[in-house]
Amino acid sequence: MMVGNNVSHSKRRTKRRFLPNLFDKKFYLAEEERFVRIRVSAAGIRNINKMGLNKALKEAKAKGYISSY
């Protein structure tokens, strides 16, 4: 999460938050023949589509983003 300002036309500033674009998504894990539910960002969905679910999960575990897989 990042913090910034909303700036109006008159340059008046109010605080705002920049939240990640998260989705609760269900993917099919072919290696285990089951569905897995993942809370993933829009960029993460594009990564999974590009690399494949199994490789993306292994990379996320190696980087410490997820605890179990």
Side-chain angles (χ1 to χ4, degrees), residues 30-48:
E31 290 78 15
E32 298 180 14
E33 296 181 357
R34 68 183 181 108
F35 283 93
V36 291
R37 288 182 184 271
I38 304 173
R39 187 172 184 118
V40 64
S41 67
I45 292 172
R46 287 193 302 273
N47 241 353
I48 289 170

Side-chain angles (χ1 to χ4, degrees), residues 22-66:
L22 294 177
F23 299 94
D24 290 319
K25 189 98 168 96
K26 192 163 72 170
F27 290 99
Y28 183 71
L29 189 57
E31 290 78 15
E32 298 180 14
E33 296 181 357
R34 68 183 181 108
F35 283 93
V36 291
R37 288 182 184 271
I38 304 173
R39 187 172 184 118
V40 64
S41 67
I45 292 172
R46 287 193 302 273
N47 241 353
I48 289 170
N49 289 336
K50 182 179 173 183
M51 298 178 358
L53 179 61
N54 199 26
K55 186 176 177 184
L57 287 173
K58 285 181 182 175
E59 188 174 303
K61 173 131 173 102
K63 290 185 177 181
Y65 297 143
I66 57 175

